[in-house]
Amino acid sequence: MANTLLLTYFGPFPGVPVNPTVALAEGAVRALNTARPDLRVVARELPVSYDGSSAALRAALQEVQPDALISLGVAVGRDVVSLEQVAINLDSAGIEDNDGDRRCDEPIVPDGREAYFSSLPVRASFERLRAAGEPVEISYTAGTYVCNHVFYEGQRISRELGLSIPAGFVHVPAICADGEEDADGEEATEGVELTAHRDAGGVVRDEQGVPYLPESTVVRIIAEIASDTLPAVD
Ligand code: PCA
């Protein structure tokens, strides 16, 4: 039976009117359908809401019963793709979620584990992709907004459901259409202004503007991480 990958992504949230993870998830599904016909890839949008994302993630895990979970989110201002290493039990951000919920120093789960490490092959993927010249890093903070929340909840809920699966989170930078990145990394996507929020894993840069990576580069990296997570069996 085919292995199933659950790939989650997000829609807009304050400061990000168009979330690049929508297009990236779509691209990764297409790329994996071609490169890995042995995999079944199910992509699901999660609401940018603390409570809503937990409920949607639980429903998706229950329904799809995946063999691996990879969640995507954008971190505006980062200039490489981040393999997140650690999720912490903390919701705390200066911006509201899409339900108007603003949290300050609240545990995701009172008395829950303080942290989970990613169970994706973070180090191995990073080393392999970096050696291939791809723009990647290992990151030790996914922020304290909804992305970190989903990362934490993916680990917690999958265990609770008895799914012993690799699960983790990948933060992506802003993206541009192929060939449109400027030499100085300035804004390349017409009409879409993105705002970096440090709590949401973003990097606030005063002068240089928001860095972008070509969409096809980020799609390729996501597909490679998925392949490392669920290698082909022959
Ligand atoms: N990025 C936000 C939430 C949704 C998204 O794409 C974050 O990094 O928390």
Side-chain angles (χ1 to χ4, degrees), residues 43-120:
R44 284 289 155 83
E45 180 170 333
L46 300 177
V48 183
S49 148
Y50 296 111
D51 289 340
S53 63
S54 293
L57 190 56
R58 177 181 295 277
L61 285 165
Q62 261 168 335
E63 182 210 318
V64 176
Q65 298 282 315
D67 299 289
L69 165 67
I70 298 178
S71 298
L72 304 175
V74 65
V76 176
R78 292 196 192 186
D79 55 5
V80 295
V81 175
S82 305
L83 291 124
E84 295 294 350
Q85 178 76 283
V86 57
I88 60 174
N89 187 12
L90 189 69
D91 287 338
S92 195
I95 49 170
E96 298 178 340
D97 72 6
N98 287 350
D99 292 333
D101 192 354
R102 187 192 299 255
R103 296 191 174 175
C104 181
D105 293 348
E106 285 185 37
I108 297 171
V109 181
D111 301 319
R113 260 174 75 155
E114 284 169 352
Y116 290 98
F117 286 131
S118 177
S119 46
L120 303 181

Side-chain angles (χ1 to χ4, degrees), residues 9 20 23 33 36 38 42 49-50 59 67 75 87-88 91 97 112 128 148 159 175 180 183 187 205 215-216 234:
Y9 59 96
N33 282 343
R36 291 291 307 278
D38 60 311
V42 179
S49 148
Y50 296 111
D67 299 289
I88 60 174
D91 287 338
D97 72 6
R128 197 176 70 74
N148 171 74
R159 280 172 173 76
I175 57 167
E180 276 185 18
E187 163 144 17
R205 296 163 194 264
E215 181 173 339
S216 62
D234 42 26

Side-chain angles (χ1 to χ4, degrees), residues 9-14 16 19-22 46-50 72-76 78 84 93 95 98 142-150 169-172 197-202:
Y9 59 96
F10 288 108
F13 62 99
V16 178
N19 196 316
T21 63
V22 176
L46 300 177
V48 183
S49 148
Y50 296 111
L72 304 175
V74 65
V76 176
R78 292 196 192 186
E84 295 294 350
I95 49 170
N98 287 350
T144 45
Y145 188 51
V146 180
C147 286
N148 171 74
H149 182 102
V150 159
F169 200 94
V170 176
H171 255 131
V172 302
H197 299 289
R198 216 179 287 278
D199 303 329

